[in-house]
Amino acid sequence: MTTSVAEAGQRLLQDDQPFDVAVLDGIVAAAYEPRHPERATANEILMKLREKPGCWQAADQIIEKSSLPQGRYFGLMALDDAINTRWKILPEGQRTGIKNFIVNKIISLSKDEESSMRERTMIHQMNKVLVSILKQEWPHNWPSFIGDICGASKNSEILCENNMHILRLLSEEVFDFSKDSMTTAKIRTLKESLNTEFAEIFKLCIFVLGASSRPQLISATLRTLKAFLSWIPLGYLFETDLIRTLIERFFAAAQFRNAALECLTEIASLADLEPKYDPKIIQLYVGVLQALGQVVPPNASLASAFEATGREADQTFVRRLALFFSGFFKAHLRLVETREQGPLLLDGLNYLVRISAVPDNEVFQICLDFWHAFAQDLYATETGRSAPRPGGYGNDDTFEPPVTSEGPGGVASRFGGRAPEGWPPADPRKQLFQHGGLLSQARLVMISRMAKPEEVLVVEDENGEIVRETFKDTEAIVQHKTMRETLVYLTHLNYDDTESIMLDKLALQVDGTEWSWANLNTLCWAVGSISGAMSEDEEKRFLVTVIKDLLGLCEVKRGKGNKACIASNIMYVVGQYPRFLRAHWKFLKTVVNKLFEFMHELHPGVQDMACDTFLKIAQKCKRKFVTQQPAEPRPFVQDLVAQLPQIISDLEPHQVHAFYEATATLLSDRGGHPSVGQQRPELLRRLMTLPNDAWARVTADAARDPSTLTRPETVRDVTKIVRTHARVCASCGPLYVTQLGGIYMDLLNVYRAYSRSISEAIAAHGDLATRHQDVRSMRAAKREILRLLSTFVEKCGEPEAPPRLVAESFVPPLLEPVLEDYAQAVPAARDSDALLLLATTIDKLRELVSEQVPRVLEAVFEPTLRMITTNFEDFPEHRLAFFKLLKATNTHCFAALFAIPPEHHKLVVDSVVWAFKHTERTVAETGLEILHELLLNVSQVPDAAKQPFYRAFVLPLIQDVLAVMTDRLHKSGFKMHATLLRHLFHLVEAGGGAGPPVV
């Protein structure tokens, strides 16, 4: 009769039964067989078995007798767990037995070539277990380990190769991965021991490199040596023949070139060295450059390594070459920046330019980091000023060069190495790097590879609505920003060269030599990126030439796709130069009118481009539109509002929203023509005529027949109208109060109606109703209303919407429908946006709404806690919103927390504890911040109020903070854990003194 996996597992888990390795093999086989019916049961048994305290005692049997690699691996992991968690409490005899077993097993498996290859994975895992033992035993209880392993290595090349792996793992554990697994004192002891005994390891490495002819052993030795190079005493590097050996013997051999280059990169990147080592560092650079000339001739193509037929080893070589040059120049550029070494310096930088051009983004990113730092440093030392601020709406960030060591011109340099005798040179540094067109080549690389700027995607939301999402934190955006800054620095150093390269590349587009949509896009992104890097006259001349060429290109190219691509790039470029647009009203007006024409063009992407560009121009040039310009009868914004229905007639809803946002941005400017300033409310009313008329139709129909509100087409209309209002509110700010006042009560009534309809649907069909399309659509409309009101509260301010007016006139009517709906709805139908609205209201209006806070907390606390305390996964948006609300209340309306019934204080503290125990880092950090501020606030209230709070909560809080402080899931909050414990301990101490005790 066949025994089931569950029955076999029960036998293994019983302490009174002898351990049967064959049974374990059966369970392991089931766990690793994807189609086994009892696979889940087998995995659960293995987890329980591994957690069993005495499981490790059967590890030797499992490793010796198991017929499955996975079974032996299981035994090894059980042993590793015991070493990491129980080693200190094991008797001396058992510790010695484990140590000897692992050592002997590694030696036996490494006895010959066949065995070591067959058991390679097992040996690697055993090496890790041995390193775990070393972290516990070495150096105090195993002082001879380094001598033993070095001595044994000379007896067998195969054993020596594995010993190199062990030494590398030990170095990585101590110097790279020790922070989270060992105490500071233990780490210091191990580092000191490795430093003290490194002479033997170094002798072994040099012996192997000089005497061995086994390629695998040499490769392993080079990899091990690389792990040591960042921390060993510098004498081993610069007072021995190591560097010469690496260059002459191993870099020259194709088989070991990559490993040798990795070691040389590690040495070349060492910064802040003593002056006596400067000649050696220069020799290293010169030696590598000379050897490289034999491997990669100056005219050889590096890009071929990344073609379809390229070898992986060649790609790795180019990647490591990029790391070598960028690491060396960042640490030691000044040492080779001399007349004597100048040609060799330029050779190295030219190699880096060629490497930058290879079609591999990882390699390019390595090079880009260097070019950014180099261009920034060269600009700062050349001009005696800190970094420039790029212009243009896409270039709003200020970037300043970090500084480390003194350079010329009174401005510090970020590059390492001491300036040699005779520094600064007679000619500016820039002249040195101009030789051979180096900076020009760097500019060409940046222009040819410019990354895509901020991306706006048109996507479909959960309700089938088309919405626009802007992605600002993608890898491509970060790369564009770095490239843009680099090109701005390089342009400041030579405007004419940048202009010449761009116009030459544009000419190749016009004559068709390099024509393609991708090439044109890349070039125009580069043109847009240097906005503000030229003088106004130079910028005018350059931009006029670019636009003229692009218009000419548009004339000669056939096909709507080509014309749309060129038109989009023209609009992108002109939008990137707001300074030029502000200085040339007629051109700006022409551009905007052309954009309005594009809004009727139905070719894919053109309307989106037109709306985007108009929005960006409106944000940067809004004063020009609300000011009466020469030869104009009135400010442009007045004509714009009058023509609005015709302009947007062919736009999709999401494009209409963008257009309204842009136009409202113009009305946010208060400093334009006096007539516009006085007419802003009237202009806003005219702007909102279409959505307001649609809203009036909806409310009129609802007054005659309330059921019309729940028709699908009406719900869609409401959603679009409210979304338009939200975009306008976000752009024009407090002025929007003149619009909200007219629709506010109707808005709340619609919210009530949808809440009621959703509740009725759920009552009739259960929670499943929340998935019905009509209910989802109504919930989407409710969310848009909540977001509109949240935006209004956030934007309120003087003079049109002072916070007191909002707190007294808008907030009280709002709370009843929102709080009632939230408290009564089933969890699946509650909107996290309601919590965000309440949090924004408290955060913005502060003490003005403090009287309303107890009512808010009463309505949302218990329902939300029941939703989020079941587990750590459900309702993630509600979690974040709830803790934002709690944080806002604690920060701005703390007195209101003590106004709620005392029994509800426990709910507050429990919710904070739940927050900082959360596995989501954002929630946990918010919880810690709330608790810290809560304790500080409580300390300010009278003794009569705070002592009951302390008696009830200080001891449980100490226990809860200690619990998260000592688990592995919340290491990121360690500093705040310590801060909280210090505060809580101080409370206990202070309470034990003259004052009444807190516990």
Side-chain angles (χ1 to χ4, degrees), residues 706-759:
S707 66
T708 60
L709 267 181
T710 57
R711 291 175 184 166
E713 62 274 14
T714 305
V715 177
R716 279 197 300 273
D717 288 343
V718 167
T719 303
K720 291 173 187 174
I721 294 166
V722 176
R723 195 172 283 161
T724 302
H725 275 268
R727 298 289 283 270
V728 170
C729 175
S731 294
C732 71
L735 176 64
Y736 178 74
V737 71
T738 59
Q739 281 299 300
L740 184 61
I743 65 169
Y744 189 56
M745 297 313 296
D746 285 339
L747 209 57
L748 296 181
N749 287 334
V750 170
Y751 186 89
R752 284 192 186 92
Y754 286 154
S755 298
R756 194 162 46 247
S757 296
I758 292 170
S759 297

Side-chain angles (χ1 to χ4, degrees), residues 446-467:
M446 294 301 138
I447 293 167
S448 302
R449 301 195 59 161
M450 182 59 65
K452 190 173 185 178
E454 175 181 295
E455 188 169 16
V456 179
L457 293 184
V458 180
V459 297
E460 187 176 305
D461 69 7
E462 59 184 8
N463 302 301
E465 297 285 342
I466 299 298
V467 295

Side-chain angles (χ1 to χ4, degrees), residues 136-180:
Q136 304 283 352
E137 293 284 280
W138 182 71
H140 303 298
N141 298 330
W142 197 353
S144 63
F145 167 72
I146 296 294
D148 293 346
I149 197 169
C150 290
S153 297
K154 294 180 181 179
N155 299 327
S156 162
E157 285 194 313
I158 297 169
L159 183 60
C160 180
E161 182 183 339
N162 188 61
N163 288 347
M164 287 295 176
H165 293 316
I166 294 170
L167 290 170
R168 178 166 55 85
L169 285 173
L170 179 61
S171 174
E172 289 171 349
E173 281 292 328
V174 173
F175 287 92
D176 299 335
F177 311 132
S178 57
K179 186 178 178 183
D180 294 331

Side-chain angles (χ1 to χ4, degrees), residues 385-628:
R385 301 200 306 267
S386 61
R389 175 173 182 161
Y393 66 78
N395 305 322
D396 286 336
D397 300 325
T398 303
F399 44 100
E400 300 290 335
V403 294
T404 52
S405 58
E406 283 301 310
V411 174
S413 166
R414 66 179 298 167
F415 282 91
R418 281 152 298 285
E421 297 267 341
W423 180 264
D427 297 326
R429 291 177 72 203
K430 183 172 71 171
Q431 298 307 317
L432 172 63
F433 297 112
Q434 296 281 26
H435 290 210
L438 173 73
L439 294 181
S440 184
Q441 292 177 57
R443 293 185 189 99
L444 178 60
V445 168
M446 294 301 138
I447 293 167
S448 302
R449 301 195 59 161
M450 182 59 65
K452 190 173 185 178
E454 175 181 295
E455 188 169 16
V456 179
L457 293 184
V458 180
V459 297
E460 187 176 305
D461 69 7
E462 59 184 8
N463 302 301
E465 297 285 342
I466 299 298
V467 295
R468 299 164 61 74
E469 289 186 7
T470 302
F471 294 87
K472 295 188 177 181
D473 297 322
T474 63
E475 188 177 336
I477 305 304
V478 174
Q479 185 167 313
H480 172 79
K481 184 178 179 225
T482 307
M483 294 182 73
R484 182 199 73 202
E485 292 179 6
T486 305
L487 191 54
V488 166
Y489 288 130
L490 292 171
T491 302
H492 272 279
L493 292 169
N494 189 333
Y495 308 117
D496 295 336
D497 188 52
T498 302
E499 179 181 339
S500 174
I501 293 170
M502 288 183 172
L503 293 179
D504 287 348
K505 289 190 75 65
L506 186 54
L508 294 174
Q509 291 290 317
V510 173
D511 68 19
T513 307
E514 290 187 0
W515 163 255
S516 75
W517 291 3
N519 287 343
L520 182 63
N521 289 339
T522 303
L523 176 58
C524 290
W525 295 335
V527 170
S529 72
I530 61 168
S531 171
M534 300 179 179
S535 68
E536 202 160 343
D537 289 341
E538 289 168 329
E539 186 173 276
K540 177 182 176 181
R541 187 189 72 248
F542 171 64
L543 196 56
V544 167
T545 306
V546 169
I547 292 169
K548 192 183 298 181
D549 284 356
L550 287 172
L551 288 171
L553 183 63
C554 197
E555 287 295 321
V556 300
K557 286 296 176 186
R558 295 289 174 261
K560 275 205 167 186
N562 289 335
K563 289 185 180 294
C565 174
I566 299 167
S568 296
N569 279 300
I570 292 172
M571 292 306 160
Y572 175 77
V573 168
V574 298
Q576 286 292 108
Y577 286 83
R579 181 174 66 175
F580 177 82
L581 294 176
R582 288 193 293 264
H584 301 85
W585 163 250
K586 286 186 177 179
F587 184 76
L588 173 57
K589 182 180 178 182
T590 302
V591 167
V592 171
N593 283 326
K594 194 67 179 174
L595 287 174
F596 295 163
E597 288 181 28
F598 285 149
M599 290 179 189
H600 299 284
E601 173 58 63
L602 301 182
H603 188 82
V606 174
Q607 291 174 313
D608 283 321
M609 172 277 300
C611 293
D612 275 350
T613 307
F614 179 48
L615 174 57
K616 291 172 181 176
I617 290 176
Q619 290 167 340
K620 289 297 178 181
C621 305
K622 56 186 176 183
R623 177 66 56 86
K624 306 302 289 185
F625 294 99
V626 297
T627 304
Q628 187 169 345

